[in-house]
């Protein structure tokens, strides 16, 4: 499982500038405990990610910042 905090940490370490994350209360309609599962894509389509989530975030940040 990957948490939102873990995703944010990966984004933060791949940015060339500092950002401040402001944690506030939830808002109406927020969802908690929702997870993605790639098992079906794995079994039915024989698909697996080409890169890790960490590498994907690094590539995304790099590409976004260079455009």
């Amino acid at each position: 499982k990957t948490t939102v905090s873990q995703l944010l940490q990966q984004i933060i370490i791949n940015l060339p500038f500092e950002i401040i994350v402001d944690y506030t209360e939830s808002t109406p309609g927020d969802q908690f405990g929702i997870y993605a599962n790639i098992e079906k894509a794995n079994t039915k389509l024989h698909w697996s990610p080409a890169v890790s989530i960490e590498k994907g975030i690094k590539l995304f940040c790099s590409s976004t910042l260079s455009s």
Side-chain angles (χ1 to χ4, degrees), residues 4 11 14 17 19 22 33 37 40-41 51 55 57 59 66:
V4 171
I11 293 168
N14 284 287
F17 49 84
I19 63 167
D22 185 18
N37 185 338
K40 195 179 264 189
V51 297
K55 179 73 174 173
I57 290 172
L59 290 168
S66 67

Side-chain angles (χ1 to χ4, degrees), residues 7-21 54 57-66:
L7 291 174
L8 280 171
Q9 277 308 113
Q10 286 298 312
I11 293 168
I12 289 168
I13 64 173
N14 284 287
L15 292 176
F17 49 84
E18 183 180 346
I19 63 167
I20 298 170
V21 178
E54 294 84 6
I57 290 172
K58 183 176 184 171
L59 290 168
F60 172 78
C61 289
S62 175
S63 171
T64 301
L65 292 169
S66 67

Side-chain angles (χ1 to χ4, degrees), residues 37-49:
N37 185 338
I38 63 168
E39 186 178 328
K40 195 179 264 189
N42 228 258
T43 7
K44 294 192 179 267
L45 303 174
H46 307 288
W47 176 88
S48 61

